[in-house]
Amino acid sequence: MRRGWRRPAAQTGPSVVIIGGGFAGLSALNALASARVAVTLVDRNVYSTFQPLLYQVATAGLTSADVAYPLWSVTRKTGARFHKGELTKVDAGQQKVRLNDGTELGYDYLILATGVSANFFGIPGADKHSMSMYTRRDAVAVRERLLDELEQRSWGTSSADLNITIAGGGATGVELAGTLAELRNIALPAAFPAIDPSSMHVTLIERAPDLLAAFRPHQREYARQQLLKRGVDVRLNSTIKEVTTDSVSLADGTSVPTVASVRESAVTLTSP
Ligand SMILES: Cc1cc2nc3c(=O)[nH]c(=O)nc-3n(C[C@H](O)[C@H](O)[C@H](O)COP(=O)(O)OP(=O)(O)OC[C@H]3O[C@@H](n4cnc5c(N)ncnc54)[C@H](O)[C@@H]3O)c2cc1C
């Protein structure tokens, strides 16, 4: 038997439908691997996304394939079935779900693990003028926009400074700000020698008095110092009031011109 290969269990017993092949859905799938149940995993994509590395995709350090793995290979190992489709309706009375391709799947037990979506906290303009970074497609869109902005400056079709604003000093915001600053400091001179690195600005905006609220105080301060060292403009105690096509307005009356603003789950790319 191949290493890591589990003999598929017989598809007998009560039927379990899991909607969503993210961390939660796959965890449920593994937990049920040895149970006498017939499991069907449904996801709108044929792959599962490793979200913690999306910031690397967004900054061109990894390809999108590096953060995705096929769901059928996971279900094959656990003896479950995989069905690609998007959930459109749950009929709890009839104990069945409907997918966007018209398929109906009956179930004895239903596990909904569809994750969450980007939260713009009701900030005017945020949903319109920012790009989410929650899915693999989002990260690719951010990367393409960034590279496009750099290309334009490299060929002289734009001479505007490249202002990138990241909203949210959680783990993703900190990682993204640091990586963008490194991209500017290290990769830019090599890949785009025509662009003056000092014309690219990375700003990180956080409403709280510290970055990385979940971490210990000395770790929060260490992260801030590391970002400052890399030339990130870290703004604490700053609340975003509005996002427009060319700036991020703060509650204190100031604003940050921006080409790209990023939050844990949202990236804004606008031109000054
Ligand atoms: C940029 C980023 C970085 C992160 N970094 C970290 C980190 O470093 N460490 C950490 O612990 N956590 C991190 N997280 C959080 C972590 O990734 C999430 O908590 C986790 O992915 C949530 O798992 P989930 O299964 O609930 O949802 P998801 O992983 O979002 O999975 C939901 C799945 O459901 C599918 N789906 C959604 N709607 C439907 C539908 N209608 N029909 C069919 N399928 C559907 C989606 O395609 C997806 O595959 C990060 C999150 C983000 C966005």
Side-chain angles (χ1 to χ4, degrees):
M1 193 181 290
R2 253 186 293 155
R3 227 173 136 77
W5 175 267
R6 196 176 296 170
R7 186 183 297 281
Q11 284 271 326
T12 57
S15 61
V16 179
V17 172
I18 303 172
I19 311 284
F23 286 1
L26 294 185
S27 173
L29 187 73
N30 280 325
L32 293 170
S34 357
R36 291 186 165 277
V37 287
V39 180
T40 303
L41 175 69
V42 176
D43 199 290
R44 59 184 168 202
N45 298 313
V46 292
Y47 55 82
S48 185
T49 302
F50 189 69
Q51 289 175 328
L53 287 178
L54 284 180
Y55 78 98
Q56 292 270 10
V57 176
T59 51
L62 292 176
T63 71
S64 60
D66 294 330
V67 295
Y69 49 95
L71 285 168
W72 57 262
S73 72
V74 188
T75 50
R76 197 181 58 170
K77 284 181 191 163
T78 58
R81 293 197 179 104
F82 174 67
H83 191 107
K84 179 181 180 294
E86 183 158 346
L87 176 71
T88 54
K89 187 179 176 193
V90 177
D91 185 339
Q94 298 288 317
Q95 290 190 266
K96 63 184 182 188
V97 291
R98 177 183 279 264
L99 309 182
N100 61 341
D101 63 2
T103 302
E104 288 190 334
L105 298 172
Y107 62 83
D108 294 307
Y109 299 95
L110 175 65
I111 298 175
L112 290 175
T114 50
V116 294
S117 57
N119 186 347
F120 297 102
F121 297 100
I123 299 168
D127 56 344
K128 193 167 174 201
H129 303 298
S130 66
M131 300 170 73
S132 299
M133 202 181 69
Y134 194 80
T135 66
R136 184 170 161 264
R137 285 190 191 90
D138 294 340
V140 170
V142 171
R143 181 180 63 191
E144 286 180 353
R145 176 76 192 272
L146 277 175
L147 293 178
D148 186 51
E149 295 286 350
L150 291 171
E151 278 289 330
Q152 286 182 37
R153 282 155 183 80
S154 181
W155 287 99
T157 45
S158 170
S159 56
D161 278 11
L162 184 57
N163 295 291
I164 304 172
T165 302
I166 301 168
T172 301
V174 168
E175 286 169 339
L176 199 49
T179 312
L180 282 166
E182 283 177 351
L183 185 146
R184 173 194 57 198
N185 302 344
I186 301 165
L188 202 61
F192 296 96
I195 302 175
D196 175 3
S198 69
S199 67
M200 178 173 165
H201 313 279
V202 182
T203 305
L204 176 61
I205 297 178
E206 168 56 50
R207 186 165 45 180
D210 291 298
L211 300 172
L212 301 175
F215 289 76
R216 295 196 172 120
H218 75 274
Q219 293 168 325
R220 298 178 200 162
E221 181 54 18
Y222 177 80
R224 191 178 77 91
Q225 291 298 337
Q226 288 298 315
L227 292 180
L228 293 177
K229 201 169 126 188
R230 286 165 174 76
V232 176
D233 178 3
V234 180
R235 303 201 185 189
L236 303 175
N237 296 305
S238 295
T239 302
I240 294 177
K241 202 178 72 181
E242 186 178 7
V243 181
T244 64
T245 50
D246 56 8
S247 74
V248 173
S249 304
L250 303 178
D252 65 5
T254 62
S255 67
V256 185
T258 185
V259 168
S261 95
V262 183
R263 57 192 309 142
E264 169 152 11
S265 51
V267 180
T268 304
L269 299 135
T270 53
S271 295

